[in-house]
Amino acid sequence: MAAIRTIDHLESSLTEDLKWRTHEMQLWEQVAASCRTHEVAGILRGGLALVYAHWEGYAKEGARAYLEYISRKGLKVGELRSEIAAVSLRSKLGQGEASKHSASHTEIVDLLRGADSLPADLPYTSATIRTRSNLKFDVFADIMHSIGCDASRHEIYQSTIDKRLLKYRNDIAHGREEYVKLADWIDIRDRVLLILKDVRNQISNAAANEEYRRR
């Protein structure tokens, strides 16, 4: 995977990653539409797992790519907006929370008091973005918040994500006999794609407008 150092690199990463995912889901629709009647149910069961994989995969990879882009700018914690500064300090804050020793808590206070001048050590591995392997809408909203973006415009689709996509996906993953019609699958897929396209646009615009900076 190429390093993401410039806006062009970020744009290319966001666009190409969404492009292949979209293409794969479109191909799945074509397969389902052309197969025999008795084959449709099985195809769409697999198709629901595929849509979920791309829902989680793109939300995770888009946020990760954005953090890498910011990380490579060599900024200090004090130059970052609060949400992204929190990502930079997350590991230290977690250590303090986990410790039962007051000395560790004191170290965290001292760290926070002088944090503005520290280099922004932003992690950007795949483990940084916590989808909890079950990307409900509130978890997605939390990821968007952590990178300074907004999920509230998609709250209208929360039931699609939680009560349709995740329910079907979890039932299928646990071996339950769950079936969906092609029209329903297409509706879920299209709504997911609509959200993911906006994720791409929000991250792209945030990078171009330097919204990662403290105002």
Side-chain angles (χ1 to χ4, degrees):
M1 179 169 26
I4 300 176
R5 301 181 184 279
T6 68
I7 287 183
D8 285 345
H9 292 158
L10 179 62
E11 291 272 2
S12 178
S13 175
L14 293 171
T15 300
E16 290 304 312
D17 195 51
L18 185 57
K19 182 179 178 180
W20 78 264
R21 295 177 189 279
T22 301
H23 180 65
E24 192 166 271
M25 286 187 279
Q26 289 172 340
L27 285 178
W28 203 278
E29 178 186 347
Q30 293 173 19
V31 170
S34 62
C35 69
R36 298 175 181 177
T37 302
H38 70 278
E39 298 171 331
V40 173
I43 292 294
L44 292 181
R45 282 164 63 83
L48 285 164
L50 179 74
V51 173
Y52 176 82
H54 290 317
W55 159 245
E56 179 177 316
Y58 192 75
K60 190 168 188 173
E61 178 55 27
R64 189 214 64 78
Y66 185 42
L67 289 177
E68 179 180 352
Y69 170 73
I70 299 168
S71 178
R72 292 186 183 279
K73 301 192 78 64
L75 301 173
K76 296 186 182 301
V77 172
E79 296 178 90
L80 298 175
R81 64 184 294 160
S82 297
E83 298 92 336
I84 297 173
V87 175
S88 178
L89 297 172
R90 182 186 290 164
S91 64
K92 296 295 184 183
L93 294 173
Q95 291 171 14
E97 183 181 4
S99 176
K100 297 180 180 179
H101 301 292
S102 60
S104 297
H105 299 161
T106 302
E107 289 176 7
I108 296 300
V109 172
D110 289 339
L111 170 70
L112 293 176
R113 284 177 173 171
D116 280 0
S117 61
L118 294 175
D121 182 19
L122 274 171
Y124 54 83
T125 66
S126 58
T128 304
I129 310 302
R130 302 170 179 175
T131 61
R132 306 174 198 174
S133 299
N134 196 37
L135 191 57
K136 294 182 178 180
F137 188 87
D138 64 337
V139 178
F140 165 71
D142 187 63
I143 291 170
M144 292 292 280
H145 174 82
S146 74
I147 59 172
C149 292
D150 179 27
S152 65
R153 67 186 71 183
H154 300 303
E155 286 178 352
I156 190 174
Y157 300 124
Q158 182 166 359
S159 63
T160 297
I161 299 300
D162 293 351
K163 297 181 181 179
R164 297 174 71 193
L165 177 60
L166 264 75
K167 180 184 181 301
Y168 289 143
R169 176 259 188 179
N170 291 339
D171 284 349
I172 290 166
H174 289 93
R176 298 189 183 97
E177 191 175 20
E178 187 65 64
Y179 298 106
V180 62
K181 295 179 180 179
L182 178 58
D184 289 335
W185 182 87
I186 292 172
D187 184 59
I188 294 169
R189 188 271 317 270
D190 287 349
R191 294 184 186 200
V192 166
L193 277 175
L194 186 149
I195 299 173
L196 296 185
K197 287 175 183 177
D198 183 64
V199 169
R200 183 225 174 280
N201 292 339
Q202 282 200 57
I203 293 174
S204 178
N205 290 337
N209 297 324
E210 297 190 339
E211 293 176 14
Y212 49 83
R213 289 186 179 272
R214 186 178 186 178
R215 304 298 183 186

